[in-house]
Amino acid sequence: MTKTEFKRRRRQLMRMMGKDSIAILPAAAVKQRNNDVHYSYRPDSDFYYLTGFSEPEAVAVLIPGRKQGEYILFCRERDEEKERWDGPIAGQEGAVSEYGADDSFPIADLDDILPRMLEQCERVFYAMGCNPELDQQMSNWVSQLRRKARSGVHPPQEFIALDHYLHDMRLYKSRSEIALMRKAARISAAGHKRIMRDCRAGMMEYQMEADFLHECTRRGARQQAYSPIVGGGNNATVLHYVDNDCKLQADDLVLVDAGCELELYASDITRTFPVSGRFSEPQALLYQLVLDAQLAAIKQVKPGNAYNAPHKAAVRTLTRGLVKLGLLKGNINTLIKNEKYKKFFMHGTGHWLGMDVHDVGDYKIDGHWRQLEPGMVLTIEPGLYIPLGSKGVAKKWQGIGIRIEDDILVTKDGCDILSADAPKTIQEIEAIMEQ
Ligand code: GLY
Ligand code: MN
Ligand code: MN
């Protein structure tokens, strides 16, 4: 992502904020894992979206129209000794020269400087409730200003949810964001192809996970957007299965939901395939049904359609198919109305995708499903899950979980499947697994 893009985003936000206002965003904190060990650091998505700055202990401040500079970055001071251990720190000079800040101060001076900046502003754009430490500081600063009211100090009058504005911006992806997301999806698709090719009965689920991670890492994606799910047989019917510690059996399907993160942008792909390389008849029937539902849903991804149009299409296709296979009985419209499909398909058909795998942005506006617009990216991921021991279900269908998930960009006249490189028809899957 270029410096210009981060600058463009700050400008766009500042235009929406208007004069006499201030936006305050903290960086994510470093999280401790156990003694002397930290989780690998991941910048806060909102903070990074506006700054491109990936150090912890920082606060970004935007003050539209401020003469001495509109963008102020509070960050760590350089420290030769510390940098020898942990690597370079941008410091105040770097914040200006490398990250486009108009002005920068040591983070240790936040308490001294920020109240004076707040004093000049009517409106504060701030995501309350996300960072307890900064919430507390904010409340202290405002009450400090209130106490000075008699000497003519004017505390800010309005607090506005910054996240709401920012998340609407994040919902519409720019050209460079789309390029990154396409790249992330391509890397993940290569990972899915690799595990289809290398799949052998008797291998452990975590070995398949390791192959996926290896393929992503060697292609430059060193983080995953979420914990990979590799579920063989009945494990595939557990929606959030992440133990990945069972042996893959020749007669089973395996469900793999795995997607890398690239420069903080997520991909999210699920493929389901037979461990043996060949679908059995019941597996093929259920798989084709989920694929038909996914294709019907993807057809509904176009500008002007409501966000839930794909879900409705998936539900209709699945319900019709489940009746045809004898897994549901009755009138299709009645079954849909009474949500009988939920016995086998109990989640939504997708979600927004972006810097976060379950990305930000409202799904409804004034109580109505939002319309799809060019630049939005969402997943389409219908599934069927039939655990062992399901009551009233023939044995041949049991122990099967199937989900097919792609990453879809809404375009001017329809959609573009960013994850199209990952094989998904029965023919494609059987062909690649034969190699
Ligand atoms: N991998 C998370 C999801 O599919 O929503
Ligand atoms: Mn998903
Ligand atoms: Mn997924």
Side-chain angles (χ1 to χ4, degrees), residues 225-229 239-240 257-259 267-270 347-348 350-353 357-358 379 381 403 405 407:
Y226 52 92
S227 301
I229 296 171
L239 293 180
H240 292 157
D257 183 346
S267 57
D268 183 6
I269 303 179
T270 308
H347 58 74
H351 47 82
W352 302 130
L353 184 73
V357 61
H358 291 176
T379 66
E381 49 177 308
R403 177 164 64 253
E405 174 175 32
D407 303 344

PDB file of all heavy atoms in Angstrom, residues 225-229 239-240 257-259 267-270 347-348 350-353 357-358 379 381 403 405 407, ligand 1:
ATOM      1  N   ALA A 225      -5.248 -15.465   8.218  1.00  0.00           N
ATOM      2  CA  ALA A 225      -6.308 -14.526   8.591  1.00  0.00           C
ATOM      3  C   ALA A 225      -7.133 -15.054   9.770  1.00  0.00           C
ATOM      4  O   ALA A 225      -7.856 -14.300  10.415  1.00  0.00           O
ATOM      5  CB  ALA A 225      -7.216 -14.262   7.393  1.00  0.00           C
ATOM      6  N   TYR A 226      -7.005 -16.371  10.049  1.00  0.00           N
ATOM      7  CA  TYR A 226      -7.715 -17.025  11.161  1.00  0.00           C
ATOM      8  C   TYR A 226      -7.096 -18.410  11.308  1.00  0.00           C
ATOM      9  O   TYR A 226      -6.329 -18.827  10.429  1.00  0.00           O
ATOM     10  CB  TYR A 226      -9.226 -17.113  10.876  1.00  0.00           C
ATOM     11  CG  TYR A 226      -9.526 -17.739   9.531  1.00  0.00           C
ATOM     12  CD1 TYR A 226      -9.738 -19.111   9.406  1.00  0.00           C
ATOM     13  CD2 TYR A 226      -9.522 -16.967   8.368  1.00  0.00           C
ATOM     14  CE1 TYR A 226      -9.969 -19.685   8.165  1.00  0.00           C
ATOM     15  CE2 TYR A 226      -9.744 -17.538   7.120  1.00  0.00           C
ATOM     16  CZ  TYR A 226      -9.967 -18.891   7.029  1.00  0.00           C
ATOM     17  OH  TYR A 226     -10.165 -19.467   5.797  1.00  0.00           O
ATOM     18  N   SER A 227      -7.447 -19.109  12.391  1.00  0.00           N
ATOM     19  CA  SER A 227      -6.880 -20.455  12.593  1.00  0.00           C
ATOM     20  C   SER A 227      -7.458 -21.420  11.562  1.00  0.00           C
ATOM     21  O   SER A 227      -8.681 -21.536  11.452  1.00  0.00           O
ATOM     22  CB  SER A 227      -7.236 -20.988  13.986  1.00  0.00           C
ATOM     23  OG  SER A 227      -6.742 -20.110  14.956  1.00  0.00           O
ATOM     24  N   PRO A 228      -6.599 -22.127  10.840  1.00  0.00           N
ATOM     25  CA  PRO A 228      -7.100 -23.045   9.815  1.00  0.00           C
ATOM     26  C   PRO A 228      -7.942 -24.179  10.424  1.00  0.00           C
ATOM     27  O   PRO A 228      -7.620 -24.686  11.499  1.00  0.00           O
ATOM     28  CB  PRO A 228      -5.830 -23.627   9.189  1.00  0.00           C
ATOM     29  CG  PRO A 228      -4.725 -22.708   9.565  1.00  0.00           C
ATOM     30  CD  PRO A 228      -5.126 -22.085  10.867  1.00  0.00           C
ATOM     31  N   ILE A 229      -8.989 -24.528   9.712  1.00  0.00           N
ATOM     32  CA  ILE A 229      -9.825 -25.672  10.087  1.00  0.00           C
ATOM     33  C   ILE A 229      -9.504 -26.794   9.105  1.00  0.00           C
ATOM     34  O   ILE A 229      -9.654 -26.614   7.896  1.00  0.00           O
ATOM     35  CB  ILE A 229     -11.328 -25.309   9.962  1.00  0.00           C
ATOM     36  CG1 ILE A 229     -11.694 -24.200  10.960  1.00  0.00           C
ATOM     37  CG2 ILE A 229     -12.204 -26.545  10.141  1.00  0.00           C
ATOM     38  CD1 ILE A 229     -13.100 -23.635  10.761  1.00  0.00           C
ATOM     39  N   LEU A 239     -18.501 -26.841  13.373  1.00  0.00           N
ATOM     40  CA  LEU A 239     -18.250 -25.631  12.572  1.00  0.00           C
ATOM     41  C   LEU A 239     -16.921 -24.957  12.892  1.00  0.00           C
ATOM     42  O   LEU A 239     -16.232 -24.501  12.002  1.00  0.00           O
ATOM     43  CB  LEU A 239     -19.401 -24.642  12.735  1.00  0.00           C
ATOM     44  CG  LEU A 239     -20.736 -25.117  12.139  1.00  0.00           C
ATOM     45  CD1 LEU A 239     -21.803 -24.069  12.346  1.00  0.00           C
ATOM     46  CD2 LEU A 239     -20.599 -25.461  10.668  1.00  0.00           C
ATOM     47  N   HIS A 240     -16.562 -24.897  14.165  1.00  0.00           N
ATOM     48  CA  HIS A 240     -15.319 -24.205  14.526  1.00  0.00           C
ATOM     49  C   HIS A 240     -14.220 -25.168  14.958  1.00  0.00           C
ATOM     50  O   HIS A 240     -13.398 -24.870  15.825  1.00  0.00           O
ATOM     51  CB  HIS A 240     -15.581 -23.157  15.624  1.00  0.00           C
ATOM     52  CG  HIS A 240     -16.404 -22.005  15.145  1.00  0.00           C
ATOM     53  ND1 HIS A 240     -17.147 -21.211  15.978  1.00  0.00           N
ATOM     54  CD2 HIS A 240     -16.603 -21.524  13.894  1.00  0.00           C
ATOM     55  CE1 HIS A 240     -17.782 -20.288  15.260  1.00  0.00           C
ATOM     56  NE2 HIS A 240     -17.467 -20.460  13.996  1.00  0.00           N
ATOM     57  N   ASP A 257     -10.899 -25.104   5.793  1.00  0.00           N
ATOM     58  CA  ASP A 257     -11.236 -23.674   5.743  1.00  0.00           C
ATOM     59  C   ASP A 257      -9.974 -22.945   6.164  1.00  0.00           C
ATOM     60  O   ASP A 257      -9.615 -22.931   7.341  1.00  0.00           O
ATOM     61  CB  ASP A 257     -12.399 -23.391   6.702  1.00  0.00           C
ATOM     62  CG  ASP A 257     -12.867 -21.935   6.650  1.00  0.00           C
ATOM     63  OD1 ASP A 257     -12.143 -21.094   6.079  1.00  0.00           O
ATOM     64  OD2 ASP A 257     -13.953 -21.660   7.195  1.00  0.00           O
ATOM     65  N   ALA A 258      -9.255 -22.390   5.195  1.00  0.00           N
ATOM     66  CA  ALA A 258      -7.969 -21.774   5.505  1.00  0.00           C
ATOM     67  C   ALA A 258      -7.688 -20.638   4.529  1.00  0.00           C
ATOM     68  O   ALA A 258      -7.930 -20.777   3.328  1.00  0.00           O
ATOM     69  CB  ALA A 258      -6.851 -22.822   5.414  1.00  0.00           C
ATOM     70  N   GLY A 259      -7.193 -19.529   5.070  1.00  0.00           N
ATOM     71  CA  GLY A 259      -6.890 -18.383   4.218  1.00  0.00           C
ATOM     72  C   GLY A 259      -5.793 -17.544   4.839  1.00  0.00           C
ATOM     73  O   GLY A 259      -5.798 -17.260   6.037  1.00  0.00           O
ATOM     74  N   SER A 267      -7.802 -13.412   3.262  1.00  0.00           N
ATOM     75  CA  SER A 267      -8.522 -14.256   2.321  1.00  0.00           C
ATOM     76  C   SER A 267      -9.215 -15.308   3.172  1.00  0.00           C
ATOM     77  O   SER A 267      -8.841 -15.505   4.327  1.00  0.00           O
ATOM     78  CB  SER A 267      -7.556 -14.903   1.321  1.00  0.00           C
ATOM     79  OG  SER A 267      -6.571 -15.643   2.011  1.00  0.00           O
ATOM     80  N   ASP A 268     -10.219 -15.959   2.632  1.00  0.00           N
ATOM     81  CA  ASP A 268     -11.028 -16.885   3.437  1.00  0.00           C
ATOM     82  C   ASP A 268     -11.652 -17.903   2.481  1.00  0.00           C
ATOM     83  O   ASP A 268     -12.662 -17.615   1.843  1.00  0.00           O
ATOM     84  CB  ASP A 268     -12.105 -16.066   4.182  1.00  0.00           C
ATOM     85  CG  ASP A 268     -12.957 -16.921   5.102  1.00  0.00           C
ATOM     86  OD1 ASP A 268     -12.662 -18.120   5.255  1.00  0.00           O
ATOM     87  OD2 ASP A 268     -13.931 -16.376   5.654  1.00  0.00           O
ATOM     88  N   ILE A 269     -10.997 -19.058   2.376  1.00  0.00           N
ATOM     89  CA  ILE A 269     -11.420 -20.042   1.365  1.00  0.00           C
ATOM     90  C   ILE A 269     -11.698 -21.384   2.039  1.00  0.00           C
ATOM     91  O   ILE A 269     -10.912 -21.836   2.877  1.00  0.00           O
ATOM     92  CB  ILE A 269     -10.316 -20.247   0.291  1.00  0.00           C
ATOM     93  CG1 ILE A 269      -9.957 -18.902  -0.370  1.00  0.00           C
ATOM     94  CG2 ILE A 269     -10.757 -21.259  -0.753  1.00  0.00           C
ATOM     95  CD1 ILE A 269      -8.862 -19.015  -1.436  1.00  0.00           C
ATOM     96  N   THR A 270     -12.801 -22.019   1.672  1.00  0.00           N
ATOM     97  CA  THR A 270     -13.062 -23.387   2.118  1.00  0.00           C
ATOM     98  C   THR A 270     -13.214 -24.298   0.907  1.00  0.00           C
ATOM     99  O   THR A 270     -13.901 -23.947  -0.057  1.00  0.00           O
ATOM    100  CB  THR A 270     -14.357 -23.471   2.952  1.00  0.00           C
ATOM    101  OG1 THR A 270     -14.302 -22.498   3.992  1.00  0.00           O
ATOM    102  CG2 THR A 270     -14.511 -24.853   3.578  1.00  0.00           C
ATOM    103  N   HIS A 347     -25.625 -21.761   9.471  1.00  0.00           N
ATOM    104  CA  HIS A 347     -24.949 -20.459   9.525  1.00  0.00           C
ATOM    105  C   HIS A 347     -25.359 -19.590   8.339  1.00  0.00           C
ATOM    106  O   HIS A 347     -26.087 -20.031   7.455  1.00  0.00           O
ATOM    107  CB  HIS A 347     -23.425 -20.630   9.606  1.00  0.00           C
ATOM    108  CG  HIS A 347     -22.811 -21.404   8.475  1.00  0.00           C
ATOM    109  ND1 HIS A 347     -22.654 -20.885   7.211  1.00  0.00           N
ATOM    110  CD2 HIS A 347     -22.307 -22.666   8.419  1.00  0.00           C
ATOM    111  CE1 HIS A 347     -22.066 -21.778   6.437  1.00  0.00           C
ATOM    112  NE2 HIS A 347     -21.854 -22.879   7.139  1.00  0.00           N
ATOM    113  N   GLY A 348     -24.897 -18.365   8.342  1.00  0.00           N
ATOM    114  CA  GLY A 348     -25.203 -17.457   7.240  1.00  0.00           C
ATOM    115  C   GLY A 348     -24.408 -17.851   5.999  1.00  0.00           C
ATOM    116  O   GLY A 348     -23.533 -18.715   6.055  1.00  0.00           O
ATOM    117  N   GLY A 350     -22.416 -15.854   4.326  1.00  0.00           N
ATOM    118  CA  GLY A 350     -21.147 -15.141   4.168  1.00  0.00           C
ATOM    119  C   GLY A 350     -21.028 -13.936   5.065  1.00  0.00           C
ATOM    120  O   GLY A 350     -21.803 -13.778   6.015  1.00  0.00           O
ATOM    121  N   HIS A 351     -20.047 -13.118   4.752  1.00  0.00           N
ATOM    122  CA  HIS A 351     -19.752 -11.927   5.559  1.00  0.00           C
ATOM    123  C   HIS A 351     -18.861 -11.013   4.736  1.00  0.00           C
ATOM    124  O   HIS A 351     -18.250 -11.448   3.758  1.00  0.00           O
ATOM    125  CB  HIS A 351     -19.053 -12.339   6.863  1.00  0.00           C
ATOM    126  CG  HIS A 351     -17.927 -13.311   6.665  1.00  0.00           C
ATOM    127  ND1 HIS A 351     -16.673 -12.917   6.298  1.00  0.00           N
ATOM    128  CD2 HIS A 351     -17.879 -14.668   6.725  1.00  0.00           C
ATOM    129  CE1 HIS A 351     -15.883 -13.981   6.173  1.00  0.00           C
ATOM    130  NE2 HIS A 351     -16.598 -15.069   6.413  1.00  0.00           N
ATOM    131  N   TRP A 352     -18.755  -9.757   5.152  1.00  0.00           N
ATOM    132  CA  TRP A 352     -17.808  -8.844   4.498  1.00  0.00           C
ATOM    133  C   TRP A 352     -16.399  -9.364   4.736  1.00  0.00           C
ATOM    134  O   TRP A 352     -16.111  -9.977   5.784  1.00  0.00           O
ATOM    135  CB  TRP A 352     -17.893  -7.430   5.086  1.00  0.00           C
ATOM    136  CG  TRP A 352     -19.212  -6.736   5.035  1.00  0.00           C
ATOM    137  CD1 TRP A 352     -19.830  -6.123   6.082  1.00  0.00           C
ATOM    138  CD2 TRP A 352     -20.066  -6.532   3.890  1.00  0.00           C
ATOM    139  NE1 TRP A 352     -21.019  -5.550   5.662  1.00  0.00           N
ATOM    140  CE2 TRP A 352     -21.177  -5.785   4.323  1.00  0.00           C
ATOM    141  CE3 TRP A 352     -19.994  -6.911   2.549  1.00  0.00           C
ATOM    142  CZ2 TRP A 352     -22.218  -5.416   3.467  1.00  0.00           C
ATOM    143  CZ3 TRP A 352     -21.025  -6.541   1.697  1.00  0.00           C
ATOM    144  CH2 TRP A 352     -22.106  -5.805   2.158  1.00  0.00           C
ATOM    145  N   LEU A 353     -15.522  -9.095   3.797  1.00  0.00           N
ATOM    146  CA  LEU A 353     -14.127  -9.524   3.903  1.00  0.00           C
ATOM    147  C   LEU A 353     -13.225  -8.331   3.598  1.00  0.00           C
ATOM    148  O   LEU A 353     -13.514  -7.553   2.682  1.00  0.00           O
ATOM    149  CB  LEU A 353     -13.875 -10.654   2.900  1.00  0.00           C
ATOM    150  CG  LEU A 353     -12.499 -11.309   2.912  1.00  0.00           C
ATOM    151  CD1 LEU A 353     -12.345 -12.207   4.141  1.00  0.00           C
ATOM    152  CD2 LEU A 353     -12.302 -12.168   1.653  1.00  0.00           C
ATOM    153  N   VAL A 357     -11.084 -10.764   8.784  1.00  0.00           N
ATOM    154  CA  VAL A 357     -11.759 -11.834   8.022  1.00  0.00           C
ATOM    155  C   VAL A 357     -13.281 -11.647   8.103  1.00  0.00           C
ATOM    156  O   VAL A 357     -13.970 -11.780   7.091  1.00  0.00           O
ATOM    157  CB  VAL A 357     -11.296 -13.239   8.449  1.00  0.00           C
ATOM    158  CG1 VAL A 357     -11.585 -13.525   9.908  1.00  0.00           C
ATOM    159  CG2 VAL A 357     -11.945 -14.286   7.573  1.00  0.00           C
ATOM    160  N   HIS A 358     -13.785 -11.366   9.278  1.00  0.00           N
ATOM    161  CA  HIS A 358     -15.181 -10.925   9.384  1.00  0.00           C
ATOM    162  C   HIS A 358     -15.094  -9.403   9.415  1.00  0.00           C
ATOM    163  O   HIS A 358     -14.929  -8.800  10.471  1.00  0.00           O
ATOM    164  CB  HIS A 358     -15.854 -11.481  10.636  1.00  0.00           C
ATOM    165  CG  HIS A 358     -16.057 -12.964  10.558  1.00  0.00           C
ATOM    166  ND1 HIS A 358     -16.563 -13.716  11.580  1.00  0.00           N
ATOM    167  CD2 HIS A 358     -15.828 -13.851   9.546  1.00  0.00           C
ATOM    168  CE1 HIS A 358     -16.626 -14.991  11.215  1.00  0.00           C
ATOM    169  NE2 HIS A 358     -16.178 -15.092   9.991  1.00  0.00           N
ATOM    170  N   THR A 379     -17.770 -12.964   1.340  1.00  0.00           N
ATOM    171  CA  THR A 379     -17.603 -14.398   1.077  1.00  0.00           C
ATOM    172  C   THR A 379     -18.971 -14.992   0.767  1.00  0.00           C
ATOM    173  O   THR A 379     -20.004 -14.482   1.206  1.00  0.00           O
ATOM    174  CB  THR A 379     -17.020 -15.161   2.287  1.00  0.00           C
ATOM    175  OG1 THR A 379     -17.985 -15.129   3.353  1.00  0.00           O
ATOM    176  CG2 THR A 379     -15.716 -14.544   2.766  1.00  0.00           C
ATOM    177  N   GLU A 381     -20.448 -18.793   1.217  1.00  0.00           N
ATOM    178  CA  GLU A 381     -19.988 -20.044   1.816  1.00  0.00           C
ATOM    179  C   GLU A 381     -21.108 -20.916   2.383  1.00  0.00           C
ATOM    180  O   GLU A 381     -21.160 -21.165   3.578  1.00  0.00           O
ATOM    181  CB  GLU A 381     -18.978 -19.731   2.925  1.00  0.00           C
ATOM    182  CG  GLU A 381     -19.423 -18.666   3.934  1.00  0.00           C
ATOM    183  CD  GLU A 381     -18.398 -18.469   5.051  1.00  0.00           C
ATOM    184  OE1 GLU A 381     -18.006 -19.481   5.658  1.00  0.00           O
ATOM    185  OE2 GLU A 381     -17.997 -17.322   5.303  1.00  0.00           O
ATOM    186  N   ARG A 403     -18.477 -27.581   3.071  1.00  0.00           N
ATOM    187  CA  ARG A 403     -18.649 -26.139   2.861  1.00  0.00           C
ATOM    188  C   ARG A 403     -17.787 -25.751   1.670  1.00  0.00           C
ATOM    189  O   ARG A 403     -16.699 -26.305   1.479  1.00  0.00           O
ATOM    190  CB  ARG A 403     -18.243 -25.340   4.109  1.00  0.00           C
ATOM    191  CG  ARG A 403     -18.344 -23.822   3.921  1.00  0.00           C
ATOM    192  CD  ARG A 403     -18.329 -23.017   5.242  1.00  0.00           C
ATOM    193  NE  ARG A 403     -17.084 -23.133   5.975  1.00  0.00           N
ATOM    194  CZ  ARG A 403     -16.930 -23.836   7.090  1.00  0.00           C
ATOM    195  NH1 ARG A 403     -17.964 -24.495   7.601  1.00  0.00           N
ATOM    196  NH2 ARG A 403     -15.766 -23.896   7.711  1.00  0.00           N
ATOM    197  N   GLU A 405     -16.389 -22.207  -0.016  1.00  0.00           N
ATOM    198  CA  GLU A 405     -16.334 -20.771   0.283  1.00  0.00           C
ATOM    199  C   GLU A 405     -15.390 -20.041  -0.659  1.00  0.00           C
ATOM    200  O   GLU A 405     -14.230 -20.426  -0.828  1.00  0.00           O
ATOM    201  CB  GLU A 405     -15.848 -20.572   1.733  1.00  0.00           C
ATOM    202  CG  GLU A 405     -15.611 -19.115   2.102  1.00  0.00           C
ATOM    203  CD  GLU A 405     -15.257 -18.916   3.571  1.00  0.00           C
ATOM    204  OE1 GLU A 405     -14.615 -19.801   4.162  1.00  0.00           O
ATOM    205  OE2 GLU A 405     -15.639 -17.864   4.121  1.00  0.00           O
ATOM    206  N   ASP A 407     -14.204 -15.906  -2.181  1.00  0.00           N
ATOM    207  CA  ASP A 407     -14.116 -14.471  -1.871  1.00  0.00           C
ATOM    208  C   ASP A 407     -14.540 -13.700  -3.117  1.00  0.00           C
ATOM    209  O   ASP A 407     -13.924 -13.855  -4.178  1.00  0.00           O
ATOM    210  CB  ASP A 407     -12.682 -14.116  -1.474  1.00  0.00           C
ATOM    211  CG  ASP A 407     -12.202 -14.958  -0.299  1.00  0.00           C
ATOM    212  OD1 ASP A 407     -13.070 -15.563   0.370  1.00  0.00           O
ATOM    213  OD2 ASP A 407     -10.981 -15.023  -0.052  1.00  0.00           O
TER     214      ASP A 407
HETATM  215  N1  GLY B   1     -13.060 -18.851   8.335  1.00  0.00           N
HETATM  216  C1  GLY B   1     -14.030 -18.098   8.979  1.00  0.00           C
HETATM  217  C2  GLY B   1     -15.264 -18.021   8.187  1.00  0.00           C
HETATM  218  O1  GLY B   1     -15.413 -18.737   7.219  1.00  0.00           O
HETATM  219  O2  GLY B   1     -16.115 -17.216   8.436  1.00  0.00           O
END
